Structures are given as structure tokens and as C-alpha cells.
Amino acid sequence: MVLTGAAGLGRTAAGAALVLTTALVGRRLGQAALTALAVIAWAFFTGFVENRYGVLTFADGDVVRLGLFVTATLVTACLVPRAAVRGAPAD
């Protein structure tokens, strides 16, 4: 909550921005590494946006959000053309 207020974003916008950033940063990684990066992004979101002070929880909503973060990151990374990543050669 503190981070979304400071950035002027709502929770949904903050989550979408985090997924997009994670997908772009991890675009050149393999699927396993990108999945791990998505789990780290989920932990950051859960700890600092949904909760406070880095507290991770594993309630039903958190587990659903974990699946959404991983799926959305993998799909977004596949959909973003390699040329969109600065300095990357086009496919």
C-alpha cells in the first residue's frame, strides 16, 4: 500500500506494471529463470503492495495471484517482440 500511494498507482496498475517490467527484463532468459523471476515479482507485490513491510502471506487470493503473475509474465514475454527490448536483435 505504501508503494502504490507513493507512485500514484492503484494495486491493479502496480501489478500490471510489475508484470510488464518483469517480462521485459526477463525476455532473454529461459523459461525456468523467467518463471523464477515472476515468483520473485509476486513476492515483492504481495509483500509491499498487498501487505506491508515485506510480509508474505499465502491466503487463497495470494496463491491465485501467484498463478496470475507467473502466467501473465510468461505470456507477455512471449508476445513482446525481441526488437522491443533495447539492443536485442530482431527474430
Side-chain angles (χ1 to χ4, degrees):
M1 296 254 240
V2 173
L3 291 178
T4 55
L9 298 173
R11 288 181 183 172
T12 303
L18 188 56
V19 165
L20 181 61
T21 302
T22 303
L24 290 175
V25 168
R27 176 68 174 96
R28 292 178 159 216
L29 300 175
Q31 187 173 2
L34 185 57
T35 301
L37 191 61
V39 171
I40 293 167
W42 164 82
F44 181 82
F45 182 84
T46 299
F48 293 105
V49 176
E50 283 297 315
N51 300 316
R52 300 183 93 179
Y53 309 117
V55 176
L56 291 179
T57 53
F58 294 96
D60 291 340
D62 297 322
V63 175
V64 169
R65 208 172 295 111
L66 172 60
L68 289 173
F69 257 81
V70 171
T71 303
T73 300
L74 291 173
V75 168
T76 303
C78 289
L79 294 177
V80 173
R82 192 174 290 272
V85 180
R86 185 180 179 116
D91 286 335

